């Protein structure tokens, strides 16, 4: 019988192992295996275990041999993380979310101190493409704090600084820093009076040819600024949008330069698609100068000449050239005091504007008398928007409009604004809604002026019958029209499954009964009780 020690030696539980010489040699060989021989086992264990893989000697050596720059890279990465954290904290304090590509700080009541802090954070936003710091009036006079750091954001494509009370020094500082952002495509300095009166000179020669949009709305630009702007536009071959609206002094002294030089420079901006001159004090002489340049701009798709009351009686000096603007899609002439002769000149050129989709002649009293001729001359197959609000339309105007609708001439119309036409009687509204031919309408406004009100009971049944023929309708505005509760419920029931937004004053009723509701009602209520 074997001893207990012998038994422990064979089963490996003893302190001394006894075996054949061959076993001893194989054991020594196994001990001398290299680290590379053990890697597959380590990888297998790390793959099959939920715990981190077993560290291996070869891998440890590779980590130690990364070189002297490994510490620098780790430090740089750590610094970027800390910097991004500072950006997040700064934006959170202003109620904004961090975005590495868009920096939106509009309406944040930024101070000069905030602007300085923002400037120090730009180095951590190298990928930002859009910066909007608009409507922060307390940063005026201190823009240099920001512009001196723009070299850190060389990928910026959109820069908006609207209504920041920028002065001439700010504009100069911005002009000097534009070389840091050569990819800039959109520059908006609107609502900064300091840009005008010579301040615009600070941008001359500093704008890159890549600029596609320039917005200078309400900057108090003068005729002298118009000359400077003309020089800038001539050097911007890719310019697509130029908006200088609400600069009433821009067109002064047309004969001596200024505006004439500006519009002459437009011939170099062959890519121009949008020109906005709203409320710029345009006169017939201004239109004459503008018309000559439009002949060189066939790519213009939007022309806004609205709110220029002084051009009354001189529209024919422009319409003569409009026929050459073959891509014109949107023409805005609202609130221009157009005369009957102006409208007749417009009607003559409308058949040539085959790409036109929107025509706004609203707030012109004489329009009501030429509705039939005007609509009949339109390229009806693609018209989308046609506002007739505040046009002194009458029953005869609506009858003429109804005749055009009945022929299907406005079948593609998406928006129809007939508000503020209180001279139209019940018969006029009934004839329009009974005509049909408005199957594409999405937005209809028949509201009355705030100072008036009238019952709609006489024509509401015609509207209810017409609604099923307007399957795309999304909004119906009927402000200041009065109706009793039953009539209101009938309209709600007709639209309840279509999610149409109904804008209707809840307190104006024909009866004394209370008819509770909201002025903007989501029409998804239960039908009225039988």
């Amino acid at each position: 019988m074997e001893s207990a020690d012998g038994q422990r030696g064979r089963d490996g539980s003893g302190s001394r192992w006894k075996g054949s010489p061959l076993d001893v040699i194989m054991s020594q060989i196994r001990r001398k295996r290299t680290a590379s021989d053990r890697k597959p086992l380590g990888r297998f264990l790390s793959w099959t275990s939920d715990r981190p893989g077993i560290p291996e000697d070869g891998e440890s050596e590779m980590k130690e041999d990364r070189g002297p720059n490994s510490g620098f890279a780790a430090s740089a990465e750590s610094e970027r993380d800390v910097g991004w954290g500072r950006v997040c904290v700064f934006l959170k304090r202003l109620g904004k979310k961090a975005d590495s590509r868009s920096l939106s700080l509009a309406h944040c009541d930024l101070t000069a101190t905030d602007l300085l802090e923002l400037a120090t954070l730009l180095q951590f936003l190298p990928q930002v493409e859009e910066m909007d710091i608009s409507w922060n009036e307390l940063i005026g006079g201190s823009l240099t704090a920001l512009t001196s750091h723009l070299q850190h954001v060389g990928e910026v494509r959109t820069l908006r600084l609207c209504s920041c009370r920028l002065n001439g020094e700010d504009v100069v500082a911005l002009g000097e820093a534009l070389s840091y952002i050569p990819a800039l495509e959109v520059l908006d300095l609107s609502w900064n009076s300091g840009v005008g009166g010579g301040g615009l000179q600070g941008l001359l020669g500093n704008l890159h040819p890549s600029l596609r949009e320039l917005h200078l709305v309400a900057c108090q630009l003068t005729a002298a600024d118009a000359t400077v702007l003309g020089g800038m536009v001539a050097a911007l071959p890719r310019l697509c949008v130029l908006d200088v609206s609400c600069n009433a002094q821009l067109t002064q002294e047309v004969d001596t330069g200024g505006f004439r030089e500006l519009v002459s420079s437009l011939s170099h901006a062959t890519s121009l698609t949008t020109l906005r001159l709203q409320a710029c004090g345009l006169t017939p002489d201004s239109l004459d100068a503008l018309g000559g340049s439009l002949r060189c701009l066939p790519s213009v798709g939007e022309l806004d000449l609205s709110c220029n009351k002084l051009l009354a009686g001189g529209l024919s000096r422009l319409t003569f050239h409009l026929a050459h603007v073959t891509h014109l899609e949107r023409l805005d002439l609202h609130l221009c005091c157009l005369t009957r002769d102006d409208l007749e000149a417009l009607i003559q050129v409308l058949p040539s504007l085959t790409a036109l989709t929107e025509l706004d002649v609203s707030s012109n009293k004489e329009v009501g008398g030429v509705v039939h001729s005007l609509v009949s001359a339109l390229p009806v197959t693609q018209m989308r928007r046609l506002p007739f609000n505040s046009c002194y339309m009458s029953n005869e105007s609506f009858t003429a409009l109804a005749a055009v609708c009945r022929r299907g001439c406005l079948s593609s119309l998406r928006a129809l604004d007939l508000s503020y036409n209180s001279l139209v009687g019940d018969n006029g509204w009934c004839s329009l809604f009974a005509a049909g031919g408005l199957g594409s309408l999405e937005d209809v406004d028949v509201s009355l002026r705030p100072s008036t009100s009238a019952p709609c009971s006489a024509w509401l049944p015609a509207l209810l019958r017409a609604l099923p023929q307007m399957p795309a309708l999304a909004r119906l505005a009927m402000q200041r029209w009065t109706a009793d509760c039953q009539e209101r419920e009938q309209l709600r029931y007709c639209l309840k499954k279509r999610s149409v937004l109904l804008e209707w004053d809840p307190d104006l009723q024909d009866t004394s009964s209370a008819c509770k509701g909201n002025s903007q009602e989501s029409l998804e209520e239960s039908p009225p009780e039988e």
Side-chain angles (χ1 to χ4, degrees):
M1 187 173 182
E2 297 181 354
S3 65
D5 291 341
Q7 181 68 26
R8 285 196 301 270
R10 282 195 295 270
D11 61 18
S13 59
S15 61
R16 184 177 180 181
W17 179 79
K18 295 179 181 180
S20 66
L22 181 59
D23 293 335
V24 174
I25 294 173
M26 294 302 297
S27 176
Q28 291 176 351
I29 292 174
R30 283 193 290 269
R31 289 196 186 110
K32 292 181 180 180
R33 286 185 306 173
T34 63
S36 61
D37 295 328
R38 292 194 299 270
K39 283 183 181 179
L41 179 59
R43 294 191 182 109
F44 174 76
L45 292 175
S46 63
W47 178 74
T48 56
S49 174
D50 292 335
R51 299 179 180 179
I54 299 175
E56 303 171 11
D57 296 340
E59 294 176 353
S60 300
E61 292 175 1
M62 292 175 62
K63 292 179 181 178
E64 294 176 359
D65 293 338
R66 285 181 177 175
N69 295 329
S70 60
F72 175 78
S75 175
E77 184 177 356
S78 176
E79 184 179 355
R80 286 194 298 270
D81 292 341
V82 173
W84 179 248
R86 288 175 53 194
V87 172
C88 294
V89 171
F90 176 77
L91 294 176
K92 184 176 181 181
R93 188 173 74 235
L94 299 172
K96 301 290 185 177
K97 292 183 179 180
D99 187 334
S100 63
R101 296 190 179 274
S102 178
L103 183 63
S104 178
L105 295 174
H107 300 281
C108 284
D109 293 327
L110 295 180
T111 64
T113 303
D114 295 326
L115 194 66
L116 181 60
E117 182 178 357
L118 172 62
T120 62
L121 297 176
L122 291 183
Q123 59 182 310
F124 306 115
L125 293 166
Q127 296 180 331
V128 71
E129 297 181 356
E130 181 177 355
M131 292 179 60
D132 188 352
I133 315 178
S134 302
W135 307 101
N136 289 288
E137 298 186 347
L138 299 179
I139 67 174
S142 58
L143 193 64
T144 305
L146 181 69
T147 57
S148 59
H149 291 76
L150 286 182
Q151 68 270 19
H152 299 296
V153 287
E155 299 299 320
V156 167
R157 298 180 181 276
T158 300
L159 179 59
R160 301 187 188 278
L161 291 164
C162 307
S163 190
C164 290
R165 290 194 177 181
L166 302 183
N167 57 28
E169 295 180 355
D170 292 326
V171 179
V172 171
L174 176 61
E176 294 175 347
L178 287 178
S179 60
Y180 296 141
I181 45 179
L184 188 66
E185 296 181 352
V186 179
L187 178 61
D188 194 344
L189 302 178
S190 300
W191 306 99
N192 287 291
S193 59
V195 174
L200 195 63
Q201 185 75 32
L203 297 180
L204 185 63
N206 293 314
L207 294 175
H208 291 274
S210 61
L211 195 71
R212 298 176 61 84
E213 295 187 21
L214 181 59
H215 301 265
L216 298 170
V217 179
C219 287
Q220 293 192 9
L221 301 181
T222 64
D225 294 319
T227 301
V228 175
L229 183 58
M232 294 166 54
V233 170
L236 299 173
R238 299 182 182 178
L239 190 66
C240 295
V241 178
L242 178 61
D243 191 349
V244 291
S245 299
C246 303
N247 288 287
Q249 300 179 6
L250 188 68
T251 58
Q252 292 182 353
E253 304 174 2
V254 175
D255 295 333
T256 59
F259 183 74
R260 187 174 293 275
E261 294 184 23
L262 171 59
V263 296
S264 296
S265 69
L266 295 179
S267 59
H268 300 281
T270 55
S271 298
L272 195 69
T273 59
T274 300
L275 179 60
R276 299 184 183 127
L277 296 167
Q278 182 189 79
C280 283
L282 297 179
T283 63
D285 290 338
S286 305
L287 295 182
D288 191 29
L290 176 62
S293 296
L294 286 179
R295 299 173 66 95
C296 304
L297 298 171
S299 60
V300 169
E302 177 182 345
L303 181 60
D304 187 352
L305 306 177
S306 61
C307 304
N308 285 289
K309 297 182 179 181
L310 297 179
L311 63 76
L315 190 62
S316 60
R317 299 171 73 170
L318 177 72
T319 55
F320 177 75
H321 305 281
L322 274 182
H324 299 278
V325 190
T326 55
H327 291 85
L328 189 63
E329 297 179 2
R330 295 178 293 278
L331 178 60
D332 195 342
L333 291 166
H334 82 267
L335 198 59
C336 285
C337 295
L338 298 180
T339 64
R340 181 63 68 93
D341 291 340
D342 291 330
L343 292 170
E344 293 294 342
L346 177 62
I347 291 172
Q348 290 179 11
V349 75
L350 284 179
S352 302
L353 304 179
T354 56
L356 198 67
T357 61
E358 297 182 15
L359 174 64
D360 192 345
V361 290
S362 61
S363 300
N364 287 289
K365 297 180 180 179
E366 296 295 332
V367 170
V370 296
V371 170
H372 187 274
S373 301
L374 183 69
V375 177
S376 299
L378 289 171
V380 295
T381 56
Q382 73 272 354
M383 286 301 297
R384 299 291 184 268
R385 183 172 176 268
L386 189 61
F388 282 128
N389 51 295
S390 299
C391 284
Y392 280 69
M393 299 184 76
S394 62
N395 281 342
E396 291 75 13
S397 305
F398 267 46
T399 301
L401 184 60
V404 174
C405 292
R406 189 173 291 109
R407 296 200 305 267
C409 296
L410 296 177
S411 59
S412 61
L413 203 64
R414 305 289 177 81
L416 180 61
D417 190 347
L418 298 171
S419 61
Y420 297 2
N421 283 294
S422 57
L423 297 180
V424 181
D426 295 334
N427 292 337
W429 291 107
C430 288
S431 63
L432 177 64
F433 292 130
L438 297 172
S440 299
L441 275 182
E442 300 174 0
D443 190 298
V444 178
D445 194 339
V446 297
S447 301
L448 297 175
R449 295 183 182 276
S451 59
T452 61
S453 64
C456 63
S457 301
W459 54 265
L460 186 60
L463 173 61
L464 293 174
R465 290 191 296 269
L467 286 175
Q469 304 174 30
M470 304 178 189
L473 189 66
R475 172 181 173 266
L476 175 61
M478 296 179 57
Q479 303 283 12
R480 268 77 64 186
W481 288 104
T482 62
D484 59 33
C485 289
Q486 183 178 0
E487 291 168 337
R488 287 174 176 268
E489 290 300 321
Q490 286 178 337
L491 182 57
R492 279 198 291 267
Y493 181 52
C494 183
L495 300 175
K496 70 182 182 67
K497 293 183 179 180
R498 297 172 53 179
S499 300
V500 178
L501 179 66
L502 175 62
E503 297 182 2
W504 205 355
D505 299 276
D507 298 326
L508 296 179
Q509 305 161 33
D510 287 343
T511 65
S512 58
S513 61
C515 186
K516 303 297 182 181
N518 298 322
S519 59
Q520 293 185 347
E521 303 168 13
S522 180
L523 304 177
E524 297 179 352
E525 303 178 2
S526 57
E529 297 181 0
E530 298 293 339

